Structures are given as C-alpha cells and as structure tokens.
Amino acid sequence: MTAFLRRAYHSARRSTARFFQRHFFLGRLFQLVFILLGVTFFTFIVTSAAPSDAAEMYYLSRGITPSETLLASTRAEMGLDAPVLVRYLRWLISALQGDLGQSYQFSESVLTQLSRKLPATLILAGGALVLALAVAFPIGILCAVKKGRIPDVLFRVISLGGISLPNFWLALILLYVFAVQLHWFPVIGSGDLKSMVLPAMTLAIPLAGSYIRQIRTATLEELGKEYVSGLRAKGIPSRTILFRHVLPGLMLPMITLISLSAGHLLGGAAIVETIFGWPGIGSMVVDSIRVRDYPVIQGYVIWMAVIYLLTGLFSDAVCRLLDPQFRASLRIGRHIRGRMLSRTKRKAAKE
C-alpha cells in the first residue's frame, strides 16, 4: 500500500510539473494568487498587532483626546471590534469584488487614492529608469571592453560609491546643494518636470551604479563565449562583433534587470518621495502608516505585490520567447500535435 501511494504521489507530481511547463502562464497565475493571499494575510496580522489602533490615531492626529466611549463607538463604525480573522475575511471578500475599503484618514475609496497618486509615481519611476539606463549602459560596456584599464577601474570605484550611498542621505545632499544653495530646483515637489529632477537623480544614481557592474559582468560573459572567438578568428572587426553580436546577446539579462528595477520603482520609493514632497504612492503610504490607516496600507501592499509579480511574469515570458531553445520546443510541440491530430482524423475517417 505504501509503495502504491508513493508511486501515485510521484506520478501526480510529474504530471503537475509537465502541465505547468506546457501552460506557463496558467502556472504563474496560480502562484500569483497564492502569493497575494499570503502577503495580504501576513500584512493584516502585522498591522493588527500594532500597539495603537486606527480609531485612536484618527483622533490624536486631529489633536483630539478621545474618551473610551467615543473610541468604542468609532471602533464599531470602522469594524475594528471584530476578531482579526473575521476582519480579514470581510476585507478579502470586498477586495475580490473590487472594493479595497475606505480610507480612515480621508474618508474616500482606497482605489481612488491609489489612482490619483499613481501617475506621479509612474512619471518619477520612468524618469529614474531612463536616466539610469542612459548612464549605465554605455559605461558598463566601456568597462567590459577596457577591462583592467584605467576607465574600468575608475568607473567601478564610482559605481561602488553610488551603490553604497543611502537614498535618504543622497536626497538630503542633492536637496541642500541644488535647491537650498544654488536654487536651481524647488525644495518641495509639485509634480512638474523641474521638481522631478532631484528625486529622479536620487533614485537613478544607486540604480546606475548597480547597472554598470551588472552590465559589465554580462558583457564580459558574452565576450568570453566561443562564437566571439570564432568571429575574431575570421578577421571580423571588434566593433562589428560588439554591436552586431554581443549587444543582442545582452537582451535577456537586461530584461530581467529592468523588470526587477521597475518593480522596485513602481512600488514607490517611499523615503525619496517623502523627502522631496513628491505626490506619489510612497509618500501616501508613509502618511497612512503614521495614522494607522489600515485600508490604505493594505491596498499599497497589494499594489506592490502585484507589480513585483507582474514584472517578474513579464520578464520570464519575454525571456522564454527570446530563448531559441524554447521557440524550437514550441515548434516541435506544434508539429507533434499536428501529426497526432491528422492521424486521429484519418482513423475517424476510416471508421
């Protein structure tokens, strides 16, 4: 009986693995659902364990010292008097229907708040990503081509310094130099292009430092492959090898790198947005944590989880589609399925 159960378990496991290999997106969607449930449940438990509740912070943030009777009635209105699991199930049922709840602080829908703050975060994240790539891509390739020489050593040291700088310290330095002393940019962001420069630079400098080192590593790996040696043996110029053969080979690692960075940036760089007063999702969630606005915090967690999972899914899908072996397996699979289908049709016609 034990051997039978073991064989059945391994057979089911192999069948499940083959199913998800053939249905890649379906398998990732299943993972996305379970991860979202786990993240939201964990966040709900942690926020509920805070020493002060939302009802108390609602009055204290307005300079009001509430009585116990007032707190009890407010907790009942907010639904905070129910057990944690009951509150989580209520919230989950509403979230599945597209309702993330009402903000305690602003008395409006969480989705409304997120949609209002989303464009500012998208603009800031896009600007920082473009700036980081514009700086890091040519420098990373230059460091790989000039490996061990003065430009390589110099830019590696600079990139290490950029990675090591804390965001809050770099933000304060840029704010003091360019806004307070030189008056080139505003101190508080208003959402326009001029006020976006400093927060975008704050996000882009550490990102560019990380990109330089990773692009350098990927370029060196590509330059060390056998096909590059074969092209050099044929007398093809190094510039042609670099631009026509090596750079296209960097597509897969670059897509993965950009997707991970995009997830981080779109999640909202809370510290940077708060320092510069940028009206994005990050600064919104900092204010919500301060006043224990649980629905907004929960909505922000869902936003971050969905962004990270979708960017990871997009990256995996593009990498699989760009992989020649995967495309070849798709063609072989379609060919085999076509032959099996035609064989079935011939048998049906004979019968």
Side-chain angles (χ1 to χ4, degrees), residues 119-121 123-125 127-128 131 171 174-175 178-179 183-203 271-280:
T121 298
I123 294 172
L124 179 60
L131 182 60
L174 293 177
L175 194 63
F178 294 102
H183 303 287
W184 289 358
F185 303 102
V187 177
I188 302 298
S190 57
D192 58 354
L193 184 61
K194 189 175 182 179
S195 62
M196 187 189 74
V197 175
L198 291 183
M201 286 177 59
T202 305
L203 294 173
I271 296 177
V272 175
E273 289 187 1
T274 303
I275 291 176
F276 289 99
W278 185 260

Side-chain angles (χ1 to χ4, degrees), residues 95-287:
L96 292 175
Q97 298 173 356
D99 181 15
L100 296 179
Q102 297 286 323
S103 170
Y104 298 154
Q105 184 180 9
F106 299 102
S107 299
E108 66 175 354
S109 172
V110 174
L111 285 176
T112 302
Q113 282 191 281
L114 289 175
S115 61
R116 188 173 64 248
K117 300 290 185 178
L118 177 59
T121 298
L122 288 174
I123 294 172
L124 179 60
L129 188 59
V130 170
L131 182 60
L133 286 173
V135 173
F137 197 75
I139 293 178
I141 296 174
L142 176 65
C143 290
V145 174
K146 304 290 185 181
K147 179 184 177 182
R149 302 178 188 177
I150 293 178
D152 180 30
V153 176
L154 178 62
F155 283 119
R156 285 171 64 191
V157 172
I158 294 175
S159 65
L160 181 61
I163 297 172
S164 305
L165 293 176
N167 271 346
F168 69 90
W169 186 83
L170 180 61
L172 294 175
I173 293 298
L174 293 177
L175 194 63
Y176 177 75
V177 173
F178 294 102
V180 177
Q181 294 296 324
L182 299 177
H183 303 287
W184 289 358
F185 303 102
V187 177
I188 302 298
S190 57
D192 58 354
L193 184 61
K194 189 175 182 179
S195 62
M196 187 189 74
V197 175
L198 291 183
M201 286 177 59
T202 305
L203 294 173
I205 289 175
L207 198 60
S210 176
Y211 276 7
I212 289 173
R213 303 178 74 85
Q214 297 186 50
I215 292 172
R216 176 185 179 273
T217 302
T219 307
L220 287 175
E221 290 179 357
E222 199 70 22
L223 287 172
K225 292 183 177 179
E226 294 181 357
Y227 80 90
V228 176
S229 302
L231 292 173
R232 286 173 178 168
K234 292 180 180 180
I236 299 177
S238 299
R239 186 182 298 272
T240 303
I241 295 174
L242 178 64
F243 286 99
R244 290 189 179 180
H245 302 280
V246 174
L247 293 186
L250 299 178
M251 288 291 294
L252 294 181
M254 285 301 301
I255 289 173
T256 304
L257 192 62
I258 292 173
S259 66
L260 294 176
S261 303
H264 166 70
L265 294 172
L266 288 176
I271 296 177
V272 175
E273 289 187 1
T274 303
I275 291 176
F276 289 99
W278 185 260
I281 293 178
S283 58
M284 176 196 72
V285 76
V286 170
D287 295 336

Side-chain angles (χ1 to χ4, degrees), residues 36 94 216 237 299 331:
L36 281 179
S94 300
R216 176 185 179 273
R331 289 194 296 268

Side-chain angles (χ1 to χ4, degrees), residues 10 20 25 47 81 136 146 207 265 287:
H10 289 297
F20 284 122
F25 289 102
T47 53
D81 54 343
K146 304 290 185 181
L207 198 60
L265 294 172
D287 295 336

